[in-house]
Amino acid sequence: MSASARPDAIVVRAAGKLFVAGEYAVVSPGQPSVLIAVDRYLTVSLTAGVDAGSIHSPEYSRMPVRWTRGVDGLTLDREHHPYDYVIAAIEAAEQLRASRGLAPRFFDLRIDSGLDDPSGRKFGLGSSAAVTVATIAAIDAFYGLRLTLRERYELAMLATIVVAPNASGGDVAASTYGGWIGYRSPDRDLLRRARAESGVAGVLGSPAWGDAEIVRLEPPSGLDLLVGWTGHPASTERLVSGVSRGTNATSTDQTAFLTASRACVDDLWRALSHDQDAASADLALASLRRNRRLLQELGARSGVTIETDRLRILCDAAEDIGAAAKPSGAGGGDCGIVLAPAGADLAGMLRAWETNDIRHLTIGVHPPEGEHHAG
């Protein structure tokens, strides 16, 4: 994520994300996952306001949403709005600002997203996380809070779980840190209790983050990363809820799923270590293939379609050329991710995608931000 200031505005750009491995398991605190930040962006521009603040995005409506402060916190001037994550981010940042004794000010936000296609269909690149992260960063610059990357992630995470209580926050971490990351989620119930008891300032950097971990990983040596889009957007929250309803968290099958997911993602972390060797690429490919099978089994057990017909075609076409592929994120549509060894017949795979109306997204990895080890 990068920020730049002009005389009249603070402009912040946050990257989208893609899950590489560990989906569904990552919602359990301490379970490992791998994500990348991608070079598609959401931009937030902040300018000082006077009597009220506003939030505007051409993506949602022509007219801005105005906000003011009341005794019970921020209030909007209409009931139904698409800005839940933005409001939650403003509220979290404003609580931190107040705890530091800084005077309140109004500001106007403009949101422009490059995470969707021109028709507005979502690619599944984490627009909710990106807008939350960018809003936090813009307010950080506006008030001079001087937050570290870890504090930005934590503040954005606290805002996110107000709107989506079960969100793992992997997308928030990827959008904050950039590059390839390994991620373990915190206990969100514990965070909500800690915030209620100690406020936002008391939660930042506290033991309440428990198992949360964000580490830098290296791009896989000798493997090409490709992304395909099925053309069918999917709701992560709906899919995760469906899997939760269809599985028993304490069942033997679910325990086995978490154990197997941890084992294959741990292998992928090793394959993406800073001392990659000749066997690392093979380990990465094998890990990705195992994770795909685990998601197929989870979908069958829960009755939720994680790997749709088009995602199956996308992945099978990759495996046919010796690559590894799987749905990225919750599945049910959106994107599939491919790691392909040198010399693989990528042209043949892409022809198969095109025949089946699967779009190759020309996506790269957004470079890492800040310190090497994320903590």
Side-chain angles (χ1 to χ4, degrees):
M1 183 186 57
S2 59
S4 60
R6 302 194 307 266
D8 61 336
I10 294 167
V11 182
V12 177
R13 187 179 72 165
K17 69 83 181 77
L18 282 170
F19 266 94
V20 177
E23 298 91 339
Y24 288 99
V26 71
V27 299
S28 296
Q31 284 286 336
S33 62
V34 175
L35 300 95
I36 55 172
V38 299
D39 57 359
R40 299 285 183 94
Y41 303 95
L42 182 143
T43 302
V44 168
S45 302
L46 183 153
T47 53
V50 182
D51 298 323
S54 69
I55 308 164
H56 180 233
S57 172
E59 178 181 22
Y60 297 135
S61 65
R62 293 183 179 180
M63 295 298 293
V65 172
R66 286 169 55 85
W67 61 272
T68 57
R69 291 186 186 87
V71 293
D72 296 322
L74 300 185
T75 59
L76 296 179
D77 65 1
R78 59 179 179 138
E79 291 183 6
H80 223 40
H81 59 85
Y83 298 111
D84 294 337
Y85 289 94
V86 180
I87 289 296
I90 294 173
E91 287 179 327
E94 285 285 330
Q95 287 182 26
L96 182 62
R97 181 272 308 159
S99 73
R100 295 186 176 182
L102 299 173
R105 299 162 65 190
F106 286 112
F107 48 85
D108 302 318
L109 298 176
R110 180 184 173 91
I111 302 161
D112 294 286
S113 178
L115 299 179
D116 310 324
D117 82 343
S119 69
R121 290 185 299 175
K122 294 184 179 300
F123 290 137
L125 301 179
S127 57
S128 297
V131 76
T132 307
V133 168
T135 299
I136 292 294
I139 299 173
D140 176 20
F142 182 63
Y143 281 123
L145 298 174
R146 299 182 181 275
L147 301 176
T148 64
L149 280 183
R150 176 69 186 209
E151 289 170 334
R152 286 188 191 175
Y153 154 75
E154 291 186 359
L155 200 56
M157 186 61 182
L158 290 173
T160 296
I161 60 176
V162 169
V163 182
N166 296 319
S168 72
D171 49 2
V172 173
S175 199
T176 302
Y177 283 90
W180 288 73
I181 64 165
Y183 178 77
R184 301 179 196 269
S185 67
D187 184 326
R188 278 79 76 202
D189 289 337
L190 179 59
L191 288 179
R192 280 188 288 274
R193 291 196 300 270
R195 179 174 178 175
E197 294 170 1
S198 307
V200 168
V203 179
L204 295 187
S206 76
W209 293 94
D211 293 325
E213 185 179 16
I214 308 164
V215 298
R216 295 285 186 209
L217 300 175
E218 293 296 313
S221 178
L223 297 176
D224 291 321
L225 171 71
L226 294 95
V227 179
W229 183 52
T230 65
H232 295 284
S235 167
T236 296
E237 195 166 359
R238 178 181 58 79
L239 286 159
V240 172
S241 295
V243 168
S244 296
R245 288 193 301 272
T247 58
N248 183 341
T250 61
S251 71
T252 301
D253 284 343
Q254 184 63 8
T255 300
F257 168 73
L258 294 177
T259 300
S261 179
R262 183 186 303 113
C264 85
V265 178
D266 282 348
D267 280 350
L268 186 56
W269 280 33
R270 282 192 289 273
L272 302 177
S273 66
H274 299 289
D275 54 353
Q276 296 182 30
D277 56 23
S280 295
D282 290 339
L283 183 59
L285 294 172
S287 299
L288 212 65
R289 293 182 186 117
R290 284 161 55 202
N291 202 178
R292 180 192 178 192
R293 307 296 180 240
L294 284 173
L295 292 177
Q296 288 173 331
E297 293 166 3
L298 179 65
R301 191 168 67 252
S302 64
V304 172
T305 304
I306 295 174
E307 186 173 290
T308 62
D309 288 342
R310 283 194 184 177
L311 282 170
R312 175 182 53 78
I313 291 167
L314 183 158
C315 295
D316 286 348
E319 292 193 355
D320 286 344
I321 64 166
K326 57 178 286 296
S328 175
D334 283 336
C335 294
I337 194 164
V338 176
L339 291 180
D345 181 17
L346 297 181
M349 181 190 74
L350 294 177
R351 284 194 299 271
W353 285 7
E354 185 176 5
T355 299
N356 290 280
D357 295 322
I358 296 166
R359 179 173 165 185
H360 175 215
L361 298 183
T362 53
I363 283 179
V365 179
H366 175 71
E369 303 277 354
E371 65 266 25
H372 179 74
H373 190 280

